[in-house]
């Protein structure tokens, strides 16, 4: 079974002060429940500093990288962050 949770940390985002309670819950879910972070949500790279997409998504990671290169060859939707860079080949 799979369950999706949406967690928002409005406290640290609005105040700039770390929210230790939120971080503790997130760490628990990541460590105990084999949770994964949503790419567009908080937690990157604080809670997953050594993210390995091929390990997290072994069946589909390469397909995703190829789709990124094919659908956005000029990088229009590329993040300003250098965390995600694709060099997939068809």
């Amino acid at each position: 079974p799979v369950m999706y949770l949406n967690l928002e940390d409005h406290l640290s985002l609005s105040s700039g002060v770390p929210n230790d309670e939120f971080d503790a819950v997130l760490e628990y879910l990541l460590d105990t429940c084999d949770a994964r972070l949503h790419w567009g949500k908080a937690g990157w790279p604080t809670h997953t500093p050594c993210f390995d997409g091929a390990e997290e998504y072994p069946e589909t990671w390469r397909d995703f990288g190829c789709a990124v290169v094919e659908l956005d060859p000029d990088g229009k939707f590329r993040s300003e962050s250098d965390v995600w860079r694709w060099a997939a080949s068809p």
Side-chain angles (χ1 to χ4, degrees):
V2 175
M3 181 171 69
Y4 297 94
L5 297 174
N6 182 44
L7 303 173
E8 303 287 346
D9 180 10
H10 296 287
L11 179 64
S12 67
L13 293 175
S14 64
S15 69
V17 176
N19 185 343
D20 295 334
E21 290 84 3
F22 179 86
D23 290 343
V25 169
L26 199 54
E27 286 295 330
Y28 176 82
L29 293 172
L30 291 168
D31 295 342
T32 307
C33 302
D34 197 27
R36 297 178 183 166
L37 294 175
H38 184 292
W39 294 2
K41 298 284 185 175
W44 297 96
T46 303
H47 295 284
T48 55
C50 297
F51 176 77
D52 182 347
E55 183 179 319
E56 292 284 329
Y57 304 97
E59 305 299 322
T60 57
W61 188 250
R62 184 172 185 268
D63 297 338
F64 179 76
C66 290
V68 167
V69 171
E70 181 179 341
L71 297 172
D72 188 22
D74 299 323
K76 179 178 181 178
F77 298 101
R78 181 178 296 146
S79 170
E80 291 182 14
S81 166
D82 64 353
V83 173
W84 306 110
R85 293 291 183 252
W86 298 100
S89 59

